[in-house]
Amino acid sequence: LMNLEVNYLLSIESKGIKLGLERTKALLKQCSNPHNSLKCIQVAGTNGKGSTSAMIANIYRVAGYKTGLFTSPHLIDVNERIRINGESIHNNDISKFIKRYKHDIEKTDSSFFEVITVLAFWYFKNNNVDIAIMETGLGGRLDSVTCCNPIATVITSLSMDHTEVLGDTIEKIAKEKAGIIKKNVPCIMVHNDCDYVFEKKAKQLNTEIFYVENDDKLQLSPALKGDCHYQNSGLASKVIEIINNKNISKNHIKYGIENVIWHGRNQTICNNPFVVFDVAHNENGISSFLNYFNSINHSGDRKLIIALQSRKKIVACINEIEKSFDQIICTETNNARSMKAKTLSKCFKVNCIVFENDNKALKYVLNTSVNNDSIAIIGTHHLGDAISNNFNI
């Protein structure tokens, strides 16, 4: 059950995003700088950073390390963002933190993301984790997670997303992501259109970049279907190799990657009818999802339920979406930044069905589908609530 402190934490979200590290550093100082002595791996990028973080964490976990994992956003509960060995932080730990530091949170005027990042550092330090895998929220240079002192940094694939904050060219976005590169700390990344941006930054900081190609020798977890995850699994195994943890074997890497559980990524929710959920919310992510969806043999109708956050742009993949589905249902979540379903429907040239309520959209599709139909639900983590209301997951 929600308690006062958890509600307080969630209420800060209405303040919106604040970029810059000064508030995070001030709040960390009040908490005795837990990040300074925490062994971290920082992961940034546009697509795949959550699943890459989950794979790295799972490798450490199966090798017997006490492993912290910080990711965002959450699907159902805010607690999911902070886990140790797969177990979410408890409400009473959140309460303890808020009670102790509420005055400092208000004095520093910290945003929701800044508070939850500091909470993660504090919780991992208090619980003496051996390693913390920290997923960057937005960009890199000005993201709270960048306050950490990592033993390695990881950068996944880049694409145009959050352009209103990070810049409207891939080069500007690359400059923001390159902000996580630290002096003498190895950086493991995939090739992007802007390799030169990262190489310039690495040279300034005397840092070596290790590039990773797709690794299709590793068996992927059933939870992570789709070709893009071969790239992510390649990053995960390369990090371990570069850090050179002697007590992590090839078997630990193999088992860790094969058995990772990561919800909301090509996640099969139901088999009759086939229902798959993916949080893809930008052009690259959606294209990647469609590659996976179209590789499946569908005998019945193919239906899409889509909801997006208000600033998302999907113009480049509209044709691809329309070709992939017989029916498109546009909806919206109860999140304050959700795009209106009607607005979303205007992006399409075909007729869409519009539901202003995501629960009703799901109920409608389930009630009008037969067993051999295929239903894709995509666009935002905020659909997690409606999915958990309508399915036993």
Side-chain angles (χ1 to χ4, degrees), residues 67-324:
T67 307
L69 175 62
F70 174 66
T71 56
S72 60
H74 56 274
L75 285 175
I76 297 160
D77 295 314
V78 71
N79 313 57
E80 295 163 34
R81 295 174 181 235
I82 301 171
R83 305 176 194 209
I84 295 177
N85 288 351
E87 192 175 325
S88 298
I89 186 172
H90 292 288
N91 279 356
N92 43 2
D93 289 299
I94 297 176
S95 292
K96 200 191 295 179
F97 176 82
I98 298 290
K99 278 177 183 159
R100 192 175 298 176
Y101 300 111
K102 189 174 179 183
H103 173 70
D104 301 301
I105 290 166
E106 289 175 355
K107 201 170 77 183
T108 54
D109 196 26
S110 294
S111 70
F112 167 76
F113 190 76
E114 289 163 344
V115 174
I116 204 157
T117 304
V118 174
L119 167 59
F121 286 133
W122 175 84
Y123 181 65
F124 293 153
K125 178 70 188 138
N126 278 3
N127 284 278
N128 298 314
V129 299
D130 300 313
I131 186 93
I133 317 304
M134 305 291 295
E135 182 198 349
T136 311
L138 190 63
R141 185 174 65 91
L142 301 172
D143 185 89
S144 301
V145 174
T146 303
C147 290
C148 72
N149 295 324
I151 54 172
T153 57
V154 180
I155 298 169
T156 66
S157 69
L158 301 189
S159 70
M160 300 291 280
D161 199 4
H162 300 290
T163 49
E164 72 287 354
V165 179
L166 302 179
D168 54 2
T169 67
I170 205 77
E171 186 178 35
K172 286 178 186 168
I173 288 172
K175 279 183 178 155
E176 292 299 322
K177 308 283 181 191
I180 77 163
I181 297 175
K182 302 275 205 308
K183 196 173 176 58
N184 296 320
V185 174
C187 176
I188 297 92
M189 61 181 288
V190 296
H191 283 290
N192 283 295
D193 290 342
C194 288
D195 285 351
Y196 61 92
V197 172
F198 296 96
E199 282 157 15
K200 185 179 167 189
K201 179 81 180 187
K203 203 172 172 183
Q204 288 165 0
L205 295 170
N206 193 27
T207 293
E208 193 170 352
I209 292 182
F210 298 87
Y211 288 105
V212 171
E213 307 300 331
N214 274 16
D215 189 344
D216 48 12
K217 297 184 294 296
L218 287 161
Q219 178 74 37
L220 288 177
S221 156
L224 293 172
K225 303 182 186 85
D227 289 348
C228 60
H229 292 300
Y230 286 116
Q231 205 176 51
N232 302 334
S233 66
L235 283 167
S237 52
K238 188 73 170 175
V239 175
I240 307 296
E241 182 197 314
I242 299 302
I243 293 171
N244 194 14
N245 291 99
K246 296 276 189 291
N247 42 353
I248 299 186
S249 68
K250 283 203 158 55
N251 271 349
H252 289 136
I253 294 171
K254 184 176 178 302
Y255 188 84
I257 286 170
E258 280 177 16
N259 293 282
V260 72
I261 291 167
W262 197 234
H263 297 305
R265 277 62 176 195
N266 297 340
Q267 182 186 354
T268 302
I269 304 254
C270 182
N271 283 308
N272 288 313
F274 175 69
V275 181
V276 59
F277 171 44
D278 196 275
V279 297
H281 51 260
N282 55 42
E283 291 168 347
N284 277 21
I286 291 173
S287 282
S288 182
F289 169 75
L290 293 176
N291 283 343
Y292 160 68
F293 186 79
N294 291 328
S295 71
I296 301 165
N297 192 10
H298 306 276
S299 57
D301 282 349
R302 296 181 302 179
K303 302 175 181 185
L304 174 70
I305 297 174
I306 181 168
L308 290 177
Q309 295 292 79
S310 59
R311 290 198 180 103
K312 298 298 171 191
K313 295 178 177 68
I314 56 164
V315 177
C317 53
I318 289 291
N319 279 349
E320 216 181 329
I321 295 172
E322 291 177 348
K323 277 195 306 219
S324 302

